[in-house]
Amino acid sequence: MIPARYGATRFPGKLMQDLGGKPVIVRTYEATKDTKLFDEVYVVTDSELIYKEIELSGGKAIMSIKEHDCGTDRIAEAVVDMDVDIVVNVQGDEPFTSKSGLKQVLSVFDGPDADKIDLASLMTEIYDWKEISDPNSVKVIVDKDNFALYFSRSPIPYPRDKNAAVQYYKHKGIYAFRKKALLDFYKLPMRPMEAAEKIECIRYLEYGKNIKMAISNTQSIEIDTPEDLIRANKVLKDDKNITINNMYRNFPMVPKVVFGRGSFDQLPSILAPQRKDKAPFIYLVDDVFKDDEVIIDRMNLRFNDKLIFVSAEEEPKTEQVDTIVKSIKGEFTYSPSGIIGVGGGSVLDLSKAVSIMLTNKGSSSDYQGWDLVSTKSVYHVGIPTISGTGAEVSRTTVLTGPDKKLGINSDFTTFDQVVLDPDLTASVPKEQWFYTGMDCFIHCVESLNGTFLNEFSKSYGEKAYDLCKEIFLSDNLSEVESRGKLMMASWHGGMSIAYSQVGVAHAMSYGLSYVLGIKHGIGNCIVFDHIEEYYPEGVGLFKKMKDYHNIELPQGICNNLTEYQMDTMIDIALSLVPLWENALGDDWKSIMTRDKLRELYLKM
Ligand code: NAD
Ligand code: ZN
């Protein structure tokens, strides 16, 4: 049943707005019917206009006779005389209602506790504190069997300690009722908690009913505002059932890049036109080069330019970014002419973050997430001295913050200029060369085997994959050739994931890094070695590469974890929803269970 009231308060007449040539309500009706999950689908409405529109399009509609406060009462009235077991309330303003969500909400009635269920509804995991604290998104807390305890517009539970490991859920307005429960509630008076929060389903709790919550991980688009409608129209143009994660990506690329052995010497002439009067260039340089006078000399610092050596011992932290920014602001009256990052993925990420934070207020941890940066960063240049991460080309800077490890992913993150000089990587120790190089190989495998793959991403991924095979499995290359090729493989691998996504190894490696502090490159290798189940060909090649270069990986690293550590590791890995969706598809949760993850971690 799709309750459809004409006069929505926030966006009047929204159900009759045009969405790709048909009214929103017709789209919702058709999408619901197309799921083939229901014996009958009806629109129940108070509006003749909507009624006629549905009939005209060949659908079934029912006029509700009475005035109703809410959609549930409207459908209750309509089913009183129907011979029906379970009634699902589908929101009229959710034209992209997905089959998997509806299927999940229905499936609970086949589960072991079906007898206890009066009604079922959906929830979806949320991570962004902005969304968690937004009163427009209704949060729900559940007991161990996923029965709802309470719904609220406040963040529940309230995290006294900022890093409390708790999963937040947002309620999605789809309900499946047993007919009896629906009729029991018809016209029951509203009670104070519902009235205070203005959340309809609190009424069921206030009258002691059991609401079973199913988890859905597909995102949908609700039409609440005219802007939503514009967005929905865009989505429709591409694909009817596309999810938000897969929408078009309109990303900036690095606008200027110089390549070649010795190109590092171009730096002074590249920077000269960017210098703004008294504003210095700040060089953030990996401290492995601290005593390398030749490299320092080649940078040719001028005037009040400043060189800061940074350690890549640990992966970049938000705190570290904030400290560097503070010291630059404290020392110079003028905002710098630019930031020059010289080092591996760690230093490149740090440089990107510093350049953003010089023009944006607050702490860098406020910007971990997607598109949270509002002001353009200062000019910044990336000069990789080790190849593989793709950080030189990517639109993100991965940071460990007080409560999460997440990138600042924005249009302003991408470097303005990159210098690719393969000779700078000549001094990388062999093990490190392998680990970081494998980051690139794994990017390709995960991107090429992912469900988000498209031709754009594939063309980069395939090239990088072939380059990696040549670099790591043949002996026809000179060291010089090999360094140049790996530098380009890193670039292409980075491009490939920017337009698709990584997968199983990255999700699990984030868990290792968060709990055990294991660095990205080696962490990926440790995981990848044990996941042939998901990437048979890629892992097969990886093992060959490992043997070919006599690389020994640590073993048994999860053997002595406490239960709490293991749980945290699993939580962190599972929280990376887009990575799993890419790797295993919409049904990933049934494939990658907590038990399965534990089993895999214990192998490592
Ligand atoms: P890294 O920057 O952590 O450096 C690894 C080690 O190599 C360090 O000890 C460093 O001092 C040393 N090193 C670097 N260049 C050297 C050289 N020329 N000679 C000798 N030693 C050298 O390693 P990485 O693997 O390049 O970067 C990992 C980081 O990149 C992680 O923090 C990860 O989160 C990040 N990352 C970012 C992206 C992105 O898109 N932004 C993608 C993947 C990984
Ligand atoms: Zn990576």
Side-chain angles (χ1 to χ4, degrees), residues 127-142:
Y127 302 94
D128 186 354
W129 185 252
K130 237 176 149 178
E131 190 171 15
I132 294 166
S133 54
D134 180 357
N136 286 318
S137 92
V138 173
K139 274 70 63 181
V140 55
I141 46 174
V142 292

PDB file of all heavy atoms in Angstrom, residues 127-142:
ATOM      1  N   TYR A 127      27.315   6.944   9.444  1.00  0.00           N
ATOM      2  CA  TYR A 127      28.636   7.135  10.039  1.00  0.00           C
ATOM      3  C   TYR A 127      28.983   8.589  10.260  1.00  0.00           C
ATOM      4  O   TYR A 127      29.785   8.929  11.106  1.00  0.00           O
ATOM      5  CB  TYR A 127      29.700   6.534   9.115  1.00  0.00           C
ATOM      6  CG  TYR A 127      29.435   5.078   8.872  1.00  0.00           C
ATOM      7  CD1 TYR A 127      28.718   4.654   7.758  1.00  0.00           C
ATOM      8  CD2 TYR A 127      29.849   4.151   9.806  1.00  0.00           C
ATOM      9  CE1 TYR A 127      28.428   3.321   7.576  1.00  0.00           C
ATOM     10  CE2 TYR A 127      29.563   2.820   9.628  1.00  0.00           C
ATOM     11  CZ  TYR A 127      28.856   2.412   8.515  1.00  0.00           C
ATOM     12  OH  TYR A 127      28.565   1.099   8.344  1.00  0.00           O
ATOM     13  N   ASP A 128      28.409   9.426   9.452  1.00  0.00           N
ATOM     14  CA  ASP A 128      28.793  10.824   9.453  1.00  0.00           C
ATOM     15  C   ASP A 128      28.117  11.539  10.624  1.00  0.00           C
ATOM     16  O   ASP A 128      26.892  11.514  10.732  1.00  0.00           O
ATOM     17  CB  ASP A 128      28.316  11.408   8.105  1.00  0.00           C
ATOM     18  CG  ASP A 128      28.786  12.819   7.938  1.00  0.00           C
ATOM     19  OD1 ASP A 128      29.374  13.358   8.899  1.00  0.00           O
ATOM     20  OD2 ASP A 128      28.558  13.384   6.847  1.00  0.00           O
ATOM     21  N   TRP A 129      28.914  12.156  11.473  1.00  0.00           N
ATOM     22  CA  TRP A 129      28.331  12.792  12.663  1.00  0.00           C
ATOM     23  C   TRP A 129      27.322  13.865  12.281  1.00  0.00           C
ATOM     24  O   TRP A 129      26.342  14.094  12.980  1.00  0.00           O
ATOM     25  CB  TRP A 129      29.427  13.343  13.577  1.00  0.00           C
ATOM     26  CG  TRP A 129      28.837  13.894  14.841  1.00  0.00           C
ATOM     27  CD1 TRP A 129      28.720  15.191  15.202  1.00  0.00           C
ATOM     28  CD2 TRP A 129      28.221  13.130  15.907  1.00  0.00           C
ATOM     29  NE1 TRP A 129      28.072  15.296  16.411  1.00  0.00           N
ATOM     30  CE2 TRP A 129      27.750  14.051  16.873  1.00  0.00           C
ATOM     31  CE3 TRP A 129      27.998  11.763  16.128  1.00  0.00           C
ATOM     32  CZ2 TRP A 129      27.096  13.652  18.033  1.00  0.00           C
ATOM     33  CZ3 TRP A 129      27.344  11.367  17.296  1.00  0.00           C
ATOM     34  CH2 TRP A 129      26.903  12.298  18.228  1.00  0.00           C
ATOM     35  N   LYS A 130      27.557  14.500  11.158  1.00  0.00           N
ATOM     36  CA  LYS A 130      26.616  15.511  10.682  1.00  0.00           C
ATOM     37  C   LYS A 130      25.223  14.905  10.503  1.00  0.00           C
ATOM     38  O   LYS A 130      24.219  15.491  10.877  1.00  0.00           O
ATOM     39  CB  LYS A 130      27.099  16.038   9.323  1.00  0.00           C
ATOM     40  CG  LYS A 130      27.309  17.535   9.292  1.00  0.00           C
ATOM     41  CD  LYS A 130      27.878  17.900   7.952  1.00  0.00           C
ATOM     42  CE  LYS A 130      27.453  19.273   7.503  1.00  0.00           C
ATOM     43  NZ  LYS A 130      28.068  19.607   6.217  1.00  0.00           N
ATOM     44  N   GLU A 131      25.197  13.722   9.923  1.00  0.00           N
ATOM     45  CA  GLU A 131      23.920  13.044   9.694  1.00  0.00           C
ATOM     46  C   GLU A 131      23.363  12.500  11.007  1.00  0.00           C
ATOM     47  O   GLU A 131      22.166  12.551  11.263  1.00  0.00           O
ATOM     48  CB  GLU A 131      24.104  11.909   8.674  1.00  0.00           C
ATOM     49  CG  GLU A 131      22.775  11.335   8.224  1.00  0.00           C
ATOM     50  CD  GLU A 131      22.901  10.356   7.062  1.00  0.00           C
ATOM     51  OE1 GLU A 131      24.028   9.907   6.780  1.00  0.00           O
ATOM     52  OE2 GLU A 131      21.852  10.044   6.468  1.00  0.00           O
ATOM     53  N   ILE A 132      24.265  11.993  11.852  1.00  0.00           N
ATOM     54  CA  ILE A 132      23.828  11.428  13.136  1.00  0.00           C
ATOM     55  C   ILE A 132      23.165  12.511  13.989  1.00  0.00           C
ATOM     56  O   ILE A 132      22.174  12.273  14.655  1.00  0.00           O
ATOM     57  CB  ILE A 132      25.031  10.801  13.890  1.00  0.00           C
ATOM     58  CG1 ILE A 132      25.561   9.587  13.111  1.00  0.00           C
ATOM     59  CG2 ILE A 132      24.659  10.398  15.302  1.00  0.00           C
ATOM     60  CD1 ILE A 132      26.921   9.096  13.567  1.00  0.00           C
ATOM     61  N   SER A 133      23.701  13.728  13.916  1.00  0.00           N
ATOM     62  CA  SER A 133      23.141  14.775  14.773  1.00  0.00           C
ATOM     63  C   SER A 133      22.054  15.596  14.072  1.00  0.00           C
ATOM     64  O   SER A 133      21.467  16.477  14.676  1.00  0.00           O
ATOM     65  CB  SER A 133      24.263  15.682  15.261  1.00  0.00           C
ATOM     66  OG  SER A 133      24.994  16.158  14.163  1.00  0.00           O
ATOM     67  N   ASP A 134      21.769  15.282  12.828  1.00  0.00           N
ATOM     68  CA  ASP A 134      20.746  16.025  12.084  1.00  0.00           C
ATOM     69  C   ASP A 134      19.341  15.582  12.516  1.00  0.00           C
ATOM     70  O   ASP A 134      18.969  14.427  12.354  1.00  0.00           O
ATOM     71  CB  ASP A 134      20.945  15.741  10.577  1.00  0.00           C
ATOM     72  CG  ASP A 134      19.926  16.478   9.722  1.00  0.00           C
ATOM     73  OD1 ASP A 134      19.033  17.157  10.294  1.00  0.00           O
ATOM     74  OD2 ASP A 134      20.005  16.368   8.484  1.00  0.00           O
ATOM     75  N   PRO A 135      18.540  16.509  13.066  1.00  0.00           N
ATOM     76  CA  PRO A 135      17.198  16.113  13.529  1.00  0.00           C
ATOM     77  C   PRO A 135      16.287  15.611  12.400  1.00  0.00           C
ATOM     78  O   PRO A 135      15.308  14.925  12.665  1.00  0.00           O
ATOM     79  CB  PRO A 135      16.636  17.383  14.165  1.00  0.00           C
ATOM     80  CG  PRO A 135      17.584  18.473  13.874  1.00  0.00           C
ATOM     81  CD  PRO A 135      18.853  17.917  13.337  1.00  0.00           C
ATOM     82  N   ASN A 136      16.608  15.940  11.154  1.00  0.00           N
ATOM     83  CA  ASN A 136      15.776  15.430  10.056  1.00  0.00           C
ATOM     84  C   ASN A 136      15.995  13.947   9.813  1.00  0.00           C
ATOM     85  O   ASN A 136      15.193  13.304   9.146  1.00  0.00           O
ATOM     86  CB  ASN A 136      16.083  16.172   8.753  1.00  0.00           C
ATOM     87  CG  ASN A 136      15.497  17.556   8.784  1.00  0.00           C
ATOM     88  OD1 ASN A 136      14.370  17.748   9.226  1.00  0.00           O
ATOM     89  ND2 ASN A 136      16.283  18.535   8.357  1.00  0.00           N
ATOM     90  N   SER A 137      17.107  13.396  10.308  1.00  0.00           N
ATOM     91  CA  SER A 137      17.277  11.959  10.135  1.00  0.00           C
ATOM     92  C   SER A 137      16.937  11.274  11.457  1.00  0.00           C
ATOM     93  O   SER A 137      17.478  11.605  12.512  1.00  0.00           O
ATOM     94  CB  SER A 137      18.684  11.629   9.631  1.00  0.00           C
ATOM     95  OG  SER A 137      19.551  11.370  10.690  1.00  0.00           O
ATOM     96  N   VAL A 138      15.980  10.363  11.392  1.00  0.00           N
ATOM     97  CA  VAL A 138      15.490   9.693  12.601  1.00  0.00           C
ATOM     98  C   VAL A 138      16.388   8.496  12.908  1.00  0.00           C
ATOM     99  O   VAL A 138      16.612   7.646  12.059  1.00  0.00           O
ATOM    100  CB  VAL A 138      14.031   9.229  12.403  1.00  0.00           C
ATOM    101  CG1 VAL A 138      13.572   8.383  13.585  1.00  0.00           C
ATOM    102  CG2 VAL A 138      13.119  10.435  12.226  1.00  0.00           C
ATOM    103  N   LYS A 139      16.946   8.482  14.116  1.00  0.00           N
ATOM    104  CA  LYS A 139      17.829   7.390  14.522  1.00  0.00           C
ATOM    105  C   LYS A 139      17.021   6.335  15.270  1.00  0.00           C
ATOM    106  O   LYS A 139      16.001   6.650  15.888  1.00  0.00           O
ATOM    107  CB  LYS A 139      18.946   7.899  15.442  1.00  0.00           C
ATOM    108  CG  LYS A 139      20.162   8.439  14.730  1.00  0.00           C
ATOM    109  CD  LYS A 139      19.947   9.756  13.995  1.00  0.00           C
ATOM    110  CE  LYS A 139      19.588  10.893  14.929  1.00  0.00           C
ATOM    111  NZ  LYS A 139      19.368  12.163  14.191  1.00  0.00           N
ATOM    112  N   VAL A 140      17.514   5.116  15.228  1.00  0.00           N
ATOM    113  CA  VAL A 140      16.833   4.056  15.974  1.00  0.00           C
ATOM    114  C   VAL A 140      17.890   3.249  16.727  1.00  0.00           C
ATOM    115  O   VAL A 140      19.005   3.063  16.242  1.00  0.00           O
ATOM    116  CB  VAL A 140      15.992   3.166  15.026  1.00  0.00           C
ATOM    117  CG1 VAL A 140      16.822   2.598  13.892  1.00  0.00           C
ATOM    118  CG2 VAL A 140      15.326   2.016  15.792  1.00  0.00           C
ATOM    119  N   ILE A 141      17.508   2.807  17.941  1.00  0.00           N
ATOM    120  CA  ILE A 141      18.375   1.859  18.666  1.00  0.00           C
ATOM    121  C   ILE A 141      17.616   0.547  18.815  1.00  0.00           C
ATOM    122  O   ILE A 141      16.386   0.541  18.917  1.00  0.00           O
ATOM    123  CB  ILE A 141      18.827   2.397  20.054  1.00  0.00           C
ATOM    124  CG1 ILE A 141      17.650   3.002  20.819  1.00  0.00           C
ATOM    125  CG2 ILE A 141      19.948   3.395  19.904  1.00  0.00           C
ATOM    126  CD1 ILE A 141      18.009   3.404  22.246  1.00  0.00           C
ATOM    127  N   VAL A 142      18.353  -0.550  18.819  1.00  0.00           N
ATOM    128  CA  VAL A 142      17.716  -1.873  18.819  1.00  0.00           C
ATOM    129  C   VAL A 142      18.324  -2.770  19.895  1.00  0.00           C
ATOM    130  O   VAL A 142      19.427  -2.510  20.371  1.00  0.00           O
ATOM    131  CB  VAL A 142      17.910  -2.561  17.438  1.00  0.00           C
ATOM    132  CG1 VAL A 142      17.122  -1.849  16.369  1.00  0.00           C
ATOM    133  CG2 VAL A 142      19.376  -2.642  17.047  1.00  0.00           C
TER     134      VAL A 142
END
